[in-house]
Amino acid sequence: MEPVRLAQRARREDIPASGCFGRNNLVVLTSQYATMNDQDERELLSELARLQQEHRDLDAAIDALRGFERILLGGQAAPPSLVAAAVDKGLRLTRTYGAAETCGGCVYDGVPIGNTEVAIVDGRIELSGSVLAEGYLGDPKRTAFAFREHDGRRWYRTDDTGALHHGRLAVTGRIDDVIVSGGIKVSIA
């Protein structure tokens, strides 16, 4: 089938000519499809219909997310492109930083919350405040290494590196070759 007829049929079946995304999109309607047989045409229209449904599902999800006052984004550093795309879609993101030892996020968009304090000691991020755990159950050696007293306060030494810029924390990496996934530390070394 020639591309013009195929595009007209796609339009008749309400398959958008723009805005589709995914593995394929309407760019496939080029001269290379001028000799498509009926089976090829059915497969292409089926793929376009699937992409259209994905697009509708994504739009519905984004509309639902817009209803939240704030979306907390924690874990590893978010790619700037992801944050920019979310903001462009009208989503209100707050990037959080914390650990199991701090009962989750205790720094929002680089600013400590509550009575949390942040310090950088030899490039390593340390956290203090009422959010700290008492230690590791049954592991006094690990507790003594991770939780220390200085400046008249108790601090948790993370394995993350960072810097403070005008009071805002910027996480720059890790001191080790570990990826944290679902609270489990996986060494990639």
Side-chain angles (χ1 to χ4, degrees), residues 61-86:
I62 290 171
D63 284 344
L65 289 171
R66 283 188 191 110
F68 288 98
E69 183 177 320
R70 195 67 32 206
I71 299 167
L72 302 180
L73 182 62
Q76 301 291 338
S81 60
L82 172 69
V83 173

PDB file of all heavy atoms in Angstrom, residues 61-86:
ATOM      1  N   ALA A  61      -1.780   8.897  33.396  1.00  0.00           N
ATOM      2  CA  ALA A  61      -0.890   8.807  34.560  1.00  0.00           C
ATOM      3  C   ALA A  61      -0.324  10.178  34.917  1.00  0.00           C
ATOM      4  O   ALA A  61      -0.278  10.552  36.101  1.00  0.00           O
ATOM      5  CB  ALA A  61       0.234   7.819  34.283  1.00  0.00           C
ATOM      6  N   ILE A  62       0.085  10.936  33.916  1.00  0.00           N
ATOM      7  CA  ILE A  62       0.629  12.271  34.174  1.00  0.00           C
ATOM      8  C   ILE A  62      -0.445  13.175  34.760  1.00  0.00           C
ATOM      9  O   ILE A  62      -0.193  13.929  35.705  1.00  0.00           O
ATOM     10  CB  ILE A  62       1.258  12.862  32.897  1.00  0.00           C
ATOM     11  CG1 ILE A  62       2.546  12.098  32.572  1.00  0.00           C
ATOM     12  CG2 ILE A  62       1.537  14.359  33.062  1.00  0.00           C
ATOM     13  CD1 ILE A  62       3.150  12.427  31.237  1.00  0.00           C
ATOM     14  N   ASP A  63      -1.668  13.091  34.245  1.00  0.00           N
ATOM     15  CA  ASP A  63      -2.771  13.884  34.815  1.00  0.00           C
ATOM     16  C   ASP A  63      -2.984  13.529  36.281  1.00  0.00           C
ATOM     17  O   ASP A  63      -3.197  14.413  37.110  1.00  0.00           O
ATOM     18  CB  ASP A  63      -4.062  13.664  34.024  1.00  0.00           C
ATOM     19  CG  ASP A  63      -4.072  14.396  32.694  1.00  0.00           C
ATOM     20  OD1 ASP A  63      -3.233  15.312  32.513  1.00  0.00           O
ATOM     21  OD2 ASP A  63      -4.899  14.047  31.835  1.00  0.00           O
ATOM     22  N   ALA A  64      -2.920  12.241  36.614  1.00  0.00           N
ATOM     23  CA  ALA A  64      -3.091  11.815  38.009  1.00  0.00           C
ATOM     24  C   ALA A  64      -1.954  12.361  38.873  1.00  0.00           C
ATOM     25  O   ALA A  64      -2.188  12.849  39.989  1.00  0.00           O
ATOM     26  CB  ALA A  64      -3.138  10.292  38.095  1.00  0.00           C
ATOM     27  N   LEU A  65      -0.736  12.316  38.367  1.00  0.00           N
ATOM     28  CA  LEU A  65       0.415  12.823  39.130  1.00  0.00           C
ATOM     29  C   LEU A  65       0.327  14.327  39.359  1.00  0.00           C
ATOM     30  O   LEU A  65       0.790  14.826  40.384  1.00  0.00           O
ATOM     31  CB  LEU A  65       1.722  12.467  38.420  1.00  0.00           C
ATOM     32  CG  LEU A  65       2.102  10.986  38.454  1.00  0.00           C
ATOM     33  CD1 LEU A  65       3.291  10.721  37.535  1.00  0.00           C
ATOM     34  CD2 LEU A  65       2.406  10.539  39.872  1.00  0.00           C
ATOM     35  N   ARG A  66      -0.271  15.043  38.418  1.00  0.00           N
ATOM     36  CA  ARG A  66      -0.440  16.490  38.588  1.00  0.00           C
ATOM     37  C   ARG A  66      -1.339  16.818  39.782  1.00  0.00           C
ATOM     38  O   ARG A  66      -1.309  17.916  40.309  1.00  0.00           O
ATOM     39  CB  ARG A  66      -1.025  17.118  37.325  1.00  0.00           C
ATOM     40  CG  ARG A  66      -0.031  17.288  36.222  1.00  0.00           C
ATOM     41  CD  ARG A  66      -0.635  18.107  35.074  1.00  0.00           C
ATOM     42  NE  ARG A  66       0.216  18.043  33.924  1.00  0.00           N
ATOM     43  CZ  ARG A  66      -0.078  17.399  32.787  1.00  0.00           C
ATOM     44  NH1 ARG A  66      -1.234  16.786  32.640  1.00  0.00           N
ATOM     45  NH2 ARG A  66       0.774  17.386  31.787  1.00  0.00           N
ATOM     46  N   GLY A  67      -2.157  15.856  40.204  1.00  0.00           N
ATOM     47  CA  GLY A  67      -3.064  16.068  41.324  1.00  0.00           C
ATOM     48  C   GLY A  67      -2.369  16.044  42.679  1.00  0.00           C
ATOM     49  O   GLY A  67      -2.963  16.452  43.676  1.00  0.00           O
ATOM     50  N   PHE A  68      -1.130  15.574  42.721  1.00  0.00           N
ATOM     51  CA  PHE A  68      -0.404  15.530  43.985  1.00  0.00           C
ATOM     52  C   PHE A  68       0.230  16.886  44.272  1.00  0.00           C
ATOM     53  O   PHE A  68       0.750  17.544  43.377  1.00  0.00           O
ATOM     54  CB  PHE A  68       0.692  14.463  43.958  1.00  0.00           C
ATOM     55  CG  PHE A  68       0.151  13.059  43.995  1.00  0.00           C
ATOM     56  CD1 PHE A  68       0.018  12.331  42.835  1.00  0.00           C
ATOM     57  CD2 PHE A  68      -0.228  12.493  45.200  1.00  0.00           C
ATOM     58  CE1 PHE A  68      -0.487  11.038  42.863  1.00  0.00           C
ATOM     59  CE2 PHE A  68      -0.725  11.205  45.244  1.00  0.00           C
ATOM     60  CZ  PHE A  68      -0.866  10.477  44.075  1.00  0.00           C
ATOM     61  N   GLU A  69       0.186  17.275  45.535  1.00  0.00           N
ATOM     62  CA  GLU A  69       0.822  18.523  45.951  1.00  0.00           C
ATOM     63  C   GLU A  69       2.328  18.441  45.735  1.00  0.00           C
ATOM     64  O   GLU A  69       2.968  19.413  45.356  1.00  0.00           O
ATOM     65  CB  GLU A  69       0.516  18.793  47.422  1.00  0.00           C
ATOM     66  CG  GLU A  69       1.072  20.092  47.936  1.00  0.00           C
ATOM     67  CD  GLU A  69       0.667  20.334  49.375  1.00  0.00           C
ATOM     68  OE1 GLU A  69      -0.491  20.046  49.733  1.00  0.00           O
ATOM     69  OE2 GLU A  69       1.518  20.810  50.135  1.00  0.00           O
ATOM     70  N   ARG A  70       2.887  17.258  45.953  1.00  0.00           N
ATOM     71  CA  ARG A  70       4.332  17.080  45.856  1.00  0.00           C
ATOM     72  C   ARG A  70       4.616  15.616  45.566  1.00  0.00           C
ATOM     73  O   ARG A  70       3.947  14.735  46.096  1.00  0.00           O
ATOM     74  CB  ARG A  70       4.937  17.478  47.195  1.00  0.00           C
ATOM     75  CG  ARG A  70       6.364  17.722  47.325  1.00  0.00           C
ATOM     76  CD  ARG A  70       7.055  18.851  46.676  1.00  0.00           C
ATOM     77  NE  ARG A  70       6.452  20.118  46.424  1.00  0.00           N
ATOM     78  CZ  ARG A  70       6.872  20.904  45.450  1.00  0.00           C
ATOM     79  NH1 ARG A  70       7.861  20.552  44.674  1.00  0.00           N
ATOM     80  NH2 ARG A  70       6.327  22.058  45.231  1.00  0.00           N
ATOM     81  N   ILE A  71       5.602  15.330  44.736  1.00  0.00           N
ATOM     82  CA  ILE A  71       6.069  13.972  44.463  1.00  0.00           C
ATOM     83  C   ILE A  71       7.490  13.880  45.000  1.00  0.00           C
ATOM     84  O   ILE A  71       8.364  14.637  44.579  1.00  0.00           O
ATOM     85  CB  ILE A  71       6.056  13.664  42.948  1.00  0.00           C
ATOM     86  CG1 ILE A  71       4.631  13.783  42.397  1.00  0.00           C
ATOM     87  CG2 ILE A  71       6.642  12.279  42.680  1.00  0.00           C
ATOM     88  CD1 ILE A  71       4.565  13.813  40.888  1.00  0.00           C
ATOM     89  N   LEU A  72       7.684  12.983  45.973  1.00  0.00           N
ATOM     90  CA  LEU A  72       9.003  12.815  46.571  1.00  0.00           C
ATOM     91  C   LEU A  72       9.796  11.816  45.743  1.00  0.00           C
ATOM     92  O   LEU A  72       9.347  10.689  45.523  1.00  0.00           O
ATOM     93  CB  LEU A  72       8.882  12.330  48.010  1.00  0.00           C
ATOM     94  CG  LEU A  72       8.068  13.233  48.943  1.00  0.00           C
ATOM     95  CD1 LEU A  72       8.030  12.646  50.342  1.00  0.00           C
ATOM     96  CD2 LEU A  72       8.626  14.645  48.960  1.00  0.00           C
ATOM     97  N   LEU A  73      10.964  12.236  45.306  1.00  0.00           N
ATOM     98  CA  LEU A  73      11.818  11.422  44.448  1.00  0.00           C
ATOM     99  C   LEU A  73      13.102  11.131  45.205  1.00  0.00           C
ATOM    100  O   LEU A  73      13.914  12.019  45.433  1.00  0.00           O
ATOM    101  CB  LEU A  73      12.104  12.183  43.145  1.00  0.00           C
ATOM    102  CG  LEU A  73      12.943  11.508  42.092  1.00  0.00           C
ATOM    103  CD1 LEU A  73      12.262  10.241  41.597  1.00  0.00           C
ATOM    104  CD2 LEU A  73      13.179  12.457  40.937  1.00  0.00           C
ATOM    105  N   GLY A  74      13.273   9.888  45.648  1.00  0.00           N
ATOM    106  CA  GLY A  74      14.438   9.517  46.440  1.00  0.00           C
ATOM    107  C   GLY A  74      15.264   8.462  45.742  1.00  0.00           C
ATOM    108  O   GLY A  74      15.014   8.100  44.601  1.00  0.00           O
ATOM    109  N   GLY A  75      16.236   7.951  46.453  1.00  0.00           N
ATOM    110  CA  GLY A  75      17.105   6.926  45.888  1.00  0.00           C
ATOM    111  C   GLY A  75      18.316   7.553  45.246  1.00  0.00           C
ATOM    112  O   GLY A  75      18.778   8.616  45.651  1.00  0.00           O
ATOM    113  N   GLN A  76      18.834   6.884  44.239  1.00  0.00           N
ATOM    114  CA  GLN A  76      20.027   7.381  43.555  1.00  0.00           C
ATOM    115  C   GLN A  76      19.708   8.720  42.882  1.00  0.00           C
ATOM    116  O   GLN A  76      18.549   9.089  42.716  1.00  0.00           O
ATOM    117  CB  GLN A  76      20.497   6.366  42.508  1.00  0.00           C
ATOM    118  CG  GLN A  76      20.825   5.005  43.080  1.00  0.00           C
ATOM    119  CD  GLN A  76      22.067   4.996  43.957  1.00  0.00           C
ATOM    120  OE1 GLN A  76      22.921   5.862  43.865  1.00  0.00           O
ATOM    121  NE2 GLN A  76      22.167   4.014  44.827  1.00  0.00           N
ATOM    122  N   ALA A  77      20.735   9.410  42.462  1.00  0.00           N
ATOM    123  CA  ALA A  77      20.566  10.723  41.822  1.00  0.00           C
ATOM    124  C   ALA A  77      19.673  10.601  40.588  1.00  0.00           C
ATOM    125  O   ALA A  77      19.823   9.679  39.790  1.00  0.00           O
ATOM    126  CB  ALA A  77      21.927  11.293  41.436  1.00  0.00           C
ATOM    127  N   ALA A  78      18.739  11.518  40.467  1.00  0.00           N
ATOM    128  CA  ALA A  78      17.842  11.531  39.308  1.00  0.00           C
ATOM    129  C   ALA A  78      18.538  12.226  38.147  1.00  0.00           C
ATOM    130  O   ALA A  78      19.127  13.301  38.326  1.00  0.00           O
ATOM    131  CB  ALA A  78      16.556  12.268  39.651  1.00  0.00           C
ATOM    132  N   PRO A  79      18.475  11.635  36.957  1.00  0.00           N
ATOM    133  CA  PRO A  79      19.065  12.308  35.794  1.00  0.00           C
ATOM    134  C   PRO A  79      18.401  13.675  35.585  1.00  0.00           C
ATOM    135  O   PRO A  79      17.171  13.776  35.662  1.00  0.00           O
ATOM    136  CB  PRO A  79      18.747  11.369  34.626  1.00  0.00           C
ATOM    137  CG  PRO A  79      18.426  10.052  35.242  1.00  0.00           C
ATOM    138  CD  PRO A  79      17.863  10.351  36.604  1.00  0.00           C
ATOM    139  N   PRO A  80      19.185  14.717  35.345  1.00  0.00           N
ATOM    140  CA  PRO A  80      18.603  16.052  35.128  1.00  0.00           C
ATOM    141  C   PRO A  80      17.541  16.063  34.033  1.00  0.00           C
ATOM    142  O   PRO A  80      16.550  16.789  34.136  1.00  0.00           O
ATOM    143  CB  PRO A  80      19.807  16.915  34.755  1.00  0.00           C
ATOM    144  CG  PRO A  80      20.977  16.218  35.372  1.00  0.00           C
ATOM    145  CD  PRO A  80      20.647  14.749  35.310  1.00  0.00           C
ATOM    146  N   SER A  81      17.706  15.233  33.013  1.00  0.00           N
ATOM    147  CA  SER A  81      16.718  15.200  31.927  1.00  0.00           C
ATOM    148  C   SER A  81      15.370  14.684  32.423  1.00  0.00           C
ATOM    149  O   SER A  81      14.320  15.154  31.984  1.00  0.00           O
ATOM    150  CB  SER A  81      17.224  14.344  30.758  1.00  0.00           C
ATOM    151  OG  SER A  81      17.465  13.012  31.200  1.00  0.00           O
ATOM    152  N   LEU A  82      15.381  13.721  33.368  1.00  0.00           N
ATOM    153  CA  LEU A  82      14.138  13.212  33.942  1.00  0.00           C
ATOM    154  C   LEU A  82      13.443  14.290  34.758  1.00  0.00           C
ATOM    155  O   LEU A  82      12.236  14.503  34.621  1.00  0.00           O
ATOM    156  CB  LEU A  82      14.422  11.995  34.831  1.00  0.00           C
ATOM    157  CG  LEU A  82      13.236  11.484  35.646  1.00  0.00           C
ATOM    158  CD1 LEU A  82      12.182  10.868  34.743  1.00  0.00           C
ATOM    159  CD2 LEU A  82      13.697  10.485  36.689  1.00  0.00           C
ATOM    160  N   VAL A  83      14.202  14.991  35.582  1.00  0.00           N
ATOM    161  CA  VAL A  83      13.637  16.061  36.402  1.00  0.00           C
ATOM    162  C   VAL A  83      13.066  17.157  35.504  1.00  0.00           C
ATOM    163  O   VAL A  83      11.942  17.629  35.714  1.00  0.00           O
ATOM    164  CB  VAL A  83      14.694  16.625  37.377  1.00  0.00           C
ATOM    165  CG1 VAL A  83      14.169  17.843  38.109  1.00  0.00           C
ATOM    166  CG2 VAL A  83      15.132  15.542  38.363  1.00  0.00           C
ATOM    167  N   ALA A  84      13.807  17.548  34.482  1.00  0.00           N
ATOM    168  CA  ALA A  84      13.337  18.598  33.561  1.00  0.00           C
ATOM    169  C   ALA A  84      12.067  18.170  32.838  1.00  0.00           C
ATOM    170  O   ALA A  84      11.125  18.961  32.708  1.00  0.00           O
ATOM    171  CB  ALA A  84      14.435  18.948  32.555  1.00  0.00           C
ATOM    172  N   ALA A  85      12.012  16.922  32.391  1.00  0.00           N
ATOM    173  CA  ALA A  85      10.821  16.429  31.687  1.00  0.00           C
ATOM    174  C   ALA A  85       9.610  16.423  32.615  1.00  0.00           C
ATOM    175  O   ALA A  85       8.506  16.799  32.206  1.00  0.00           O
ATOM    176  CB  ALA A  85      11.076  15.026  31.136  1.00  0.00           C
ATOM    177  N   ALA A  86       9.806  16.026  33.868  1.00  0.00           N
ATOM    178  CA  ALA A  86       8.699  16.011  34.831  1.00  0.00           C
ATOM    179  C   ALA A  86       8.196  17.431  35.101  1.00  0.00           C
ATOM    180  O   ALA A  86       6.984  17.673  35.129  1.00  0.00           O
ATOM    181  CB  ALA A  86       9.147  15.343  36.122  1.00  0.00           C
TER     182      ALA A  86
END
